[in-house]
Structure formats: structure tokens, C-alpha cells
Amino acid sequence: MLKIAVIGDPIEHSMSPVVHGAALDALGVSYEYEKVRVTKGGLPEYIRHALDTGTDGFNLTMPHKVDILPYLADIDSEAEAFSSVNTVRIRDGKLYGFNTDAIGYELSLKQCGYEFAGRRVVILGAGGVVRTIALKAAMCGARRVCILNRTREKAEWICGEVRGKTGADMISEGFSADEIARQCASADILINATPLGMNGCKSRFETFDFMNSLPSGALVSDLIYNPYKTEFLAEGERRGHNIQNGLPMLIFQALAADEQYLDRKINMSDVYPAVLAAAQKRLNV
Ligand code: NAP
């Protein structure tokens, strides 16, 4: 019996139990799945619990992705590159850290017929998830990656780190409508990685005019999946662009985590439809 969990704070609305449950059901794996509210500073107590109860692994969300680092026996290179872990595998009483967000996004791109290689990527936001996606884009051979953020220094910092690790062409900008429009004019893939437009987020984009400059054929991608089609995506679609929400990323990052828990590769295209259906049911779409 596989024993896994998701921990974080807040955790009530986590989709992880639905997504992992549907995947493991589809794979015919028997499992127990715990959803545990672990507040900041609560990791030592939770880790003791996980070890005492024979837990095989757990996913982490806010605020633990960085705090987990001192407890790890080893960490995979992508998680280490930006010191952010979303998956822990426990083996023989030791904790091993992984980050599956970037591979989740890369697989979601492939699923809708796009890839980073040779593309110009424009990312709005410079939070935790952008660090991993920007690095993945650079490692996959993106022609150029531009990060625009309200706090420009954060975008500059990520660009500096990724450039240093990969030599990629990285650009940082602020978040004004003009700056966004200028960068959109040469974007093959436009990604919203801010919470603007998410259910529960009070702020919205003030304008979507910046999308008028996107080249035809550009993908408009939002990491948000609730609402299922954000205004950002609806505006992209209205201008004739292919769009993708954040649900495929959520599913693929979970399947990549399950590969760690199960110590084997999963045929993701076999299980994806069942997981998507379960997630859509939970989201009422
Ligand atoms: P984060 O670390 O909290 O970063 C949030 C980013 O959004 C920061 O760059 C922040 O700018 C910017 N931002 C916040 N409010 C803003 C506003 N009112 N105007 C302009 N910019 C604003 O979050 P994260 O973990 O990177 O996640 C980012 C998004 O991706 C969230 O919507 C999250 O739900 C989504 N996500 C989806 C998946 C998935 O599987 N689909 C996985 C992870 C994350 P400042 O730096 O200026 O504060």
C-alpha cells in the first residue's frame, strides 16, 4: 500500500488528493492519501509523523518549498538549481527532494503542440514557479526568455541566475502595459504566472491591449485553472490564439511526482484522461 500526502498551509482547497487519487486508481495502485495542514515551522513535527507512519512521500506547497531543504539527504539538480522542492520521496528513513513543476509545464506545452526549443518565451510574474519554468525554458533551448514583473528586481535576479547557469538570452522588464506590449510583439509563448484573474484574487489585469501585438500563432498560456478559462485566456482566444490553462501542468507535475513515489515511469498519456476528468468534475467544468 502506497502511503502519500500533501502538506501546506492553506491546504483545504488543494486539488492534489483528486489528481493523485485518480492517477493511482487508473494505475491500479492501492494507496492512502493524507491532506495535512502544516503551518510554517511545523516541518520537523510532520517529518517525524511521516517517518513514524511509514509514509512513502509527500508533496509540499506554500510555505514549505524552501524550508524543507535542510531535512533532505539529497536533492535533484532542477530542485537544487532554485532551491525549491515540491516532492519528497522517503526511502530507508531518508528524505529525497525533487521539483516537478517545470517538467509539468514542459509536458503541458508539448500536449498542446508547443515546445520551448527555438521559441521566444514571455513570462508575466517572477515568483517561485517562474524560477523553475524559466530555467527549464532556457535548458530546453528557448531562443529568448523575457520575465516581466511588478517588482522588477525579482525578474532581474531570476534572469541573472538562469543566464549564469545556461548562457541563455534572458531579459527582465517591469510590468507596465507598454513594457508588456513591447515584449509580446516578439513572443511565441506568453505565460501568465501571476495570480491576476484567479478566483479569490482581488486584482485583475487593467487591460489586455498588450495582446494586440502578439504574432499570430503565439500560445497564450495561464498557470491558473480556477476559473477554468480566465479573462487572460478568453482575451487570447478572442484574438485567435491557441490557449491553455494551468490544469495540464497541475496534472503532469503530479504524475511526475507519482513516478518518484512508485520508483517507475508511468505511461502518462494512458492515465491523463481519467485524471483530467476527475479534476474537471471537482472544478465543476
Ligand atoms: P508567488 O511566488 O506568490 O509569485 C506571484 C507573482 O505574481 C509575483 O511575481 C508577484 O509580483 C506577482 N503578482 C502578485 N500580485 C500581483 C499584482 N496585483 N499585479 C502584478 N503582479 C502581481 O506565486 P507562484 O508560486 O510563482 O505562482 C504564480 C501563479 O502560478 C499562481 O497563480 C499559482 O496559482 C500558479 N501556479 C500554478 C501551478 C499549476 O500547476 N498550474 C503550479 C504553481 C503555481 P511581485 O514579485 O511584485 O510581488
Side-chain angles (χ1 to χ4, degrees), residues 78 82 101-107 109 114-123 129-147 158-159 162-163 165-171 189-191:
E78 284 191 24
F82 270 121
D101 282 335
I103 183 76
Y105 187 77
E106 189 199 357
L107 291 171
L109 260 192
Y114 286 77
E115 60 178 358
F116 283 129
R119 305 292 174 194
R120 296 160 302 178
V121 182
V122 172
I123 308 177
V129 78
V130 173
R131 300 176 187 195
T132 57
I133 290 178
L135 180 62
K136 177 63 93 182
M139 286 178 2
C140 291
R143 176 149 37 122
R144 198 183 66 206
V145 179
C146 176
I147 302 176
I158 297 176
C159 285
V162 174
R163 194 182 298 113
K165 287 179 205 303
T166 63
D169 184 3
M170 303 292 300
I171 300 172
I189 298 171
L190 171 66
I191 306 171

Side-chain angles (χ1 to χ4, degrees), residues 16-27 31 271 274-276 278-279:
S16 280
V18 174
V19 171
H20 286 278
L24 294 169
D25 285 340
L27 290 165
Y31 63 92
V271 294
V275 183
L276 179 66

Side-chain angles (χ1 to χ4, degrees), residues 81-119:
F82 270 121
S83 305
S84 173
V85 167
N86 76 340
T87 303
V88 167
R89 172 76 168 99
I90 304 179
R91 265 194 231 103
D92 304 323
K94 290 192 176 134
L95 278 60
Y96 298 88
F98 303 88
N99 191 311
T100 62
D101 282 335
I103 183 76
Y105 187 77
E106 189 199 357
L107 291 171
S108 79
L109 260 192
K110 282 196 178 137
Q111 196 200 38
C112 65
Y114 286 77
E115 60 178 358
F116 283 129
R119 305 292 174 194

Side-chain angles (χ1 to χ4, degrees), residues 255-285:
L255 295 177
D258 288 336
E259 290 190 333
Q260 297 301 336
Y261 300 143
L262 294 167
D263 298 320
R264 66 174 164 90
K265 288 273 170 214
I266 293 173
N267 188 334
M268 294 192 184
S269 44
D270 279 358
V271 294
Y272 186 87
V275 183
L276 179 66
Q280 287 175 328
K281 189 169 169 209
R282 163 70 192 273
L283 293 166
N284 289 319
V285 289

Side-chain angles (χ1 to χ4, degrees), residues 101 125-130 149-151 154 175 193-196 198 203 223-225 246-247 249-250 253:
D101 282 335
V129 78
V130 173
N149 197 45
R150 182 175 62 175
T151 311
K154 288 195 201 166
F175 203 72
T194 74
L196 294 175
M198 187 165 68
S203 310
L223 302 193
I224 296 168
Y225 51 81
L247 192 55
M249 172 184 173
L250 179 81
Q253 63 79 26

Side-chain angles (χ1 to χ4, degrees), residues 213-267:
S213 65
L214 277 173
S216 65
L219 175 71
V220 174
S221 162
D222 200 327
L223 302 193
I224 296 168
Y225 51 81
N226 195 7
Y228 205 64
K229 191 189 283 181
T230 55
E231 242 185 313
F232 183 83
L233 291 183
E235 291 285 335
E237 191 175 48
R238 201 164 66 76
R239 289 167 174 81
H241 295 284
N242 290 326
I243 58 169
Q244 188 179 52
N245 72 11
L247 192 55
M249 172 184 173
L250 179 81
I251 294 173
F252 283 120
Q253 63 79 26
L255 295 177
D258 288 336
E259 290 190 333
Q260 297 301 336
Y261 300 143
L262 294 167
D263 298 320
R264 66 174 164 90
K265 288 273 170 214
I266 293 173
N267 188 334

Side-chain angles (χ1 to χ4, degrees), residues 30-129:
S30 67
Y31 63 92
E32 267 178 32
Y33 198 100
E34 266 192 312
K35 182 163 79 174
V36 190
R37 180 167 172 255
V38 177
T39 53
K40 181 115 185 132
L43 271 179
E45 192 185 333
Y46 175 73
I47 291 169
R48 266 195 307 278
H49 162 81
L51 292 172
D52 289 348
T53 54
T55 299
D56 294 294
F58 54 93
N59 278 112
L60 310 97
T61 175
M62 273 190 352
H64 304 302
K65 287 182 168 184
V66 175
D67 293 358
I68 190 71
L69 295 175
Y71 303 96
L72 301 174
D74 202 0
I75 183 169
D76 87 330
S77 56
E78 284 191 24
E80 187 176 28
F82 270 121
S83 305
S84 173
V85 167
N86 76 340
T87 303
V88 167
R89 172 76 168 99
I90 304 179
R91 265 194 231 103
D92 304 323
K94 290 192 176 134
L95 278 60
Y96 298 88
F98 303 88
N99 191 311
T100 62
D101 282 335
I103 183 76
Y105 187 77
E106 189 199 357
L107 291 171
S108 79
L109 260 192
K110 282 196 178 137
Q111 196 200 38
C112 65
Y114 286 77
E115 60 178 358
F116 283 129
R119 305 292 174 194
R120 296 160 302 178
V121 182
V122 172
I123 308 177
L124 308 182
V129 78

